[in-house]
Amino acid sequence: QIPKDPTRRWLRELTAMSQQLQQVHPNVLAKILKQRTLYQNEEIVVIDKPYGLPVHGGPGIKNCIADVLPILAKMLENMKAEPLHLCHRLDKETTGVMVLARSKEAAEKIRLLFKTRQVEKIYWAVVLGDPDPVEGVVEIPIVEKEVQSHQSHYKMTLAPNYRLCLEDGRVVKARRKRHAERAVTRYRRLAAASACSLLELQPITGVKHQIRVHLAYGLGCPILGDHKYSHWSKLAPQKLPELTLRRLKLEQSKARHLPLHLHAHRLCLPLGQPLDFVCKLPLFFQKTLRKLELDIPKD
């Protein structure tokens, strides 16, 4: 049954694409990644990661990037090529620039660059609302917590070092959470319209789900399509503003099909000379920007 409504058809196509990536033969998946290769040299291969494809395996995951690295290496080089290595990770729903290494040594060197914060990463995201101020730095530690609700689940959340004292409005030091990790995200607004904003983000640290948590809980501007971090205690679809629904031609009851609008736009890797990779926005992201009348800045 193909929906007549173009928005619903578009959302259905995206869901189908993610499911398809899970069902194709590993050779076909490797071929898709080969077609999405942006750059390669003797040390690295840079790909444009598609939406809905996990980097690592797990329960219910049939296909992931890690599993097809040996096949991809042979397709790019020759049958004797050693498997490619992962250097960093992107969430399943995140699209964009991803670096793979051709050897164990190169992978370790690049992982160290990520760890010591020498890699510059720029993301673009569509968020609900408008951050206040429109440019700044969020520096709030993050910790993983179990959410006690009718459906218990785990989420990353903020573990601030300071809190506001309710009696006199003073800022007081909070007790430090033992497992909390330091997390720093720079952000600036590129455009605003339709009760949404397009933000440019630079994560200085690399904590799991950092951008999503800092935007949703730190700035109160969850990423469009981030159903996990738009609420705290419940697992429910994101509640969208009326204007946003109208511009997207979407009913709230169908909001659960909206994809996460987070894209790894640019990555600068200091390997000898700095290598700069830019990945254009996926089609679904471009369509959303057009519908919301958010102007894409010219690079």
Side-chain angles (χ1 to χ4, degrees):
Q1 187 68 38
I2 297 171
K4 285 192 176 70
D5 171 28
T7 301
R8 286 187 49 197
R9 197 162 60 233
W10 163 63
L11 293 174
R12 177 77 66 87
E13 279 164 19
L14 259 178
T15 312
M17 194 176 79
S18 303
Q19 287 166 351
Q20 226 174 341
L21 289 171
Q22 282 304 301
Q23 283 150 11
V24 296
H25 189 278
N27 288 359
V28 177
L29 183 58
K31 204 171 175 183
I32 291 168
L33 296 180
K34 184 189 175 194
Q35 287 162 354
R36 299 176 74 100
T37 299
L38 302 173
Y39 173 86
Q40 53 179 318
N41 64 16
E42 61 288 345
E43 277 194 300
I44 60 168
V45 172
V46 181
I47 60 166
D48 172 4
K49 182 194 164 298
Y51 176 82
L53 180 65
V55 172
H56 295 284
I61 290 170
K62 188 167 169 275
N63 274 339
C64 64
I65 292 176
D67 289 350
V68 298
L69 292 180
I71 310 168
L72 181 59
K74 286 173 179 171
M75 282 182 178
L76 288 170
E77 214 171 337
N78 59 49
M79 292 313 282
K80 291 195 180 74
E82 72 161 294
L84 291 161
H85 300 261
L86 293 169
C87 301
H88 62 121
R89 56 173 297 163
L90 291 175
D91 290 349
K92 177 185 167 185
E93 293 90 0
T94 305
T95 54
V97 187
M98 191 168 176
V99 180
L100 306 167
R102 288 198 188 271
S103 67
K104 214 171 164 190
E105 299 71 45
E108 277 164 13
K109 185 161 75 175
I110 293 162
R111 281 184 207 130
L112 188 65
L113 291 174
F114 273 97
K115 204 175 170 182
T116 52
R117 298 174 195 149
Q118 294 180 65
V119 180
E120 189 186 338
K121 298 168 285 180
I122 300 290
Y123 287 76
W124 279 7
V126 176
V127 301
L128 301 184
D130 208 7
D132 181 19
V134 294
E135 189 171 334
V137 178
V138 181
E139 184 169 354
I140 309 172
I142 289 174
V143 72
E144 190 162 27
K145 258 189 172 179
E146 186 177 5
V147 181
Q148 301 291 345
S149 68
H150 67 289
Q151 234 179 324
S152 278
H153 57 286
Y154 283 87
K155 264 182 188 166
M156 305 305 283
T157 190
L158 302 178
N161 289 333
Y162 300 92
R163 62 181 177 81
L164 213 53
C165 185
L166 292 174
E167 288 83 67
D168 52 12
R170 274 182 317 121
V171 173
V172 293
K173 209 159 170 43
R175 205 177 79 217
R176 206 175 164 276
K177 297 268 194 317
R178 212 164 33 131
H179 300 296
E181 291 182 76
R182 181 172 175 259
V184 184
T185 310
R186 264 200 202 111
Y187 72 92
R188 78 186 171 103
R189 190 183 71 184
L190 300 174
S194 315
C196 292
S197 303
L198 174 65
L199 302 188
E200 181 181 85
L201 304 139
Q202 187 184 359
I204 309 297
T205 52
V207 181
K208 180 183 170 185
H209 295 175
Q210 171 182 323
I211 291 175
R212 295 165 67 179
V213 173
H214 272 173
L215 290 179
Y217 301 150
L219 289 171
C221 294
I223 297 174
L224 182 66
D226 195 348
H227 307 291
K228 181 168 185 161
Y229 289 107
S230 292
H231 317 276
W232 170 246
S233 60
K234 55 185 177 177
L235 289 166
Q238 188 175 49
K239 182 96 176 72
L240 298 178
E242 269 310 311
L243 179 58
T244 310
L245 287 168
R246 234 183 9 255
R247 290 272 163 86
L248 291 174
K249 295 188 170 60
L250 194 65
E251 303 149 39
Q252 178 57 47
S253 60
K254 298 287 180 282
R256 67 181 183 279
H257 300 302
L258 260 185
L260 182 78
H261 285 68
L262 179 62
H263 176 71
H265 173 60
R266 188 169 158 238
L267 192 139
C268 189
L269 201 59
L271 273 183
Q273 86 273 29
L275 297 169
D276 211 347
F277 308 108
V278 174
C279 212
K280 70 177 203 308
L281 291 167
L283 274 173
F284 79 86
F285 203 124
Q286 292 179 40
K287 271 187 184 174
T288 299
L289 292 180
R290 277 200 301 274
K291 288 178 175 191
L292 296 175
E293 296 174 11
L294 286 164
D295 297 325
I296 304 178
K298 300 282 176 278
D299 271 353

